[in-house]
Amino acid sequence: MQISETTVPSSITQFISKETAFALETLLKESADVEMNDAACAIAYAFGDNGSFKELASDESENRNEKESKLISSFRNNLNLLVQKTWIEKSDETLKEDALFRIAELCDACSKKNYAENYDSFLSILQDVVYLMFGVQTRKGDFLEYAFRIDPEFGIFWWYISNLSPNNEWTEEKYRISMLLGMYFLANY
């Protein structure tokens, strides 16, 4: 498979390896669970993972449910902290409170393994949280390049999230893996 120009804009190829771009394309296309899990682990590695994400992706992991619960809890705590500590304009106070409420709802739903029905909400929450963190810059066409310039690790994460489209027709496992990858980054950010 050739890496498409739309997946990795030329302005950010210095931050994304071809292997990571290929892993994203593999994850997003229809693929067997083994390929999907390997791709997810490669993306997690780009997020700074040292191999622990593999247990979340593997069906054979004895500790999968426990590790998943811990990840969701860490994601919730860290995302709440990010939102609460972010300085915002007075006009965004309602959005901040709404985001905190939606984060709690999302994490409760994911704890019950309801990934597919909460995927669009996950993407929406991340859009709102990133807006709260970076303001109107997030609505500009060059935000991805900006994210890479200010924090390359966050840039890789935002590149990943930006390539996830809403309203997919995926398996529950693919929704799960896609969301856990985003959660993994933010739980450790």
Side-chain angles (χ1 to χ4, degrees):
M1 170 185 257
Q2 206 172 31
I3 299 167
S4 71
E5 293 293 319
T6 57
T7 303
V8 184
S10 60
S11 60
I12 61 170
T13 55
Q14 64 187 343
F15 302 104
I16 304 285
S17 71
K18 288 186 178 192
E19 293 79 16
T20 303
F22 181 76
L24 178 64
E25 288 190 7
T26 301
L27 180 68
L28 296 178
K29 72 177 179 125
E30 293 301 319
S31 57
D33 282 351
V34 172
E35 291 174 323
M36 178 183 65
N37 291 344
D38 289 346
C41 290
I43 294 167
Y45 179 77
F47 290 167
D49 178 43
N50 60 4
S52 63
F53 191 83
K54 188 172 188 132
E55 289 188 51
L56 289 166
S58 173
D59 285 334
E60 290 119 33
S61 172
E62 293 176 21
N63 302 328
R64 178 174 149 165
N65 287 333
E66 180 183 331
K67 289 202 176 275
E68 190 170 324
S69 293
K70 285 181 181 178
L71 174 63
I72 293 168
S73 177
S74 294
F75 167 77
R76 180 182 198 160
N77 293 337
N78 207 32
L79 203 56
N80 278 334
L81 186 62
L82 282 171
V83 171
Q84 290 170 350
K85 299 295 181 185
T86 299
W87 182 86
I88 59 166
E89 299 289 336
K90 186 156 182 67
S91 60
D92 291 329
E93 286 177 2
T94 303
L95 178 61
K96 182 176 181 175
E97 292 304 315
D98 183 57
L100 292 168
F101 177 76
R102 290 169 42 223
I103 291 165
E105 283 187 327
L106 173 70
C107 292
D108 290 345
C110 290
S111 293
K112 297 173 185 162
K113 312 294 186 227
N114 295 331
Y115 291 100
E117 63 190 57
N118 289 285
Y119 173 79
D120 290 345
S121 177
F122 171 74
L123 294 178
S124 175
I125 289 168
L126 294 185
Q127 291 283 338
D128 289 347
V129 168
V130 171
Y131 171 80
L132 290 168
M133 291 170 62
F134 295 98
V136 295
Q137 180 68 36
T138 60
R139 304 231 165 96
K140 295 182 179 178
D142 66 345
F143 178 68
L144 183 59
E145 288 84 3
Y146 173 80
F148 274 108
R149 284 193 310 271
I150 61 165
D151 184 349
E153 285 184 356
F154 181 82
I156 293 171
F157 163 74
W158 196 245
W159 165 78
Y160 169 72
I161 295 299
S162 298
N163 277 283
L164 296 178
S165 61
N167 305 315
N168 291 311
E169 299 282 330
W170 289 345
T171 64
E172 182 70 26
E173 183 63 9
K174 192 169 212 167
Y175 283 113
R176 177 185 165 275
I177 289 294
S178 298
M179 290 172 65
L180 290 179
L181 265 171
M183 289 180 181
Y184 179 83
F185 178 84
L186 289 169
N188 296 294
Y189 186 64

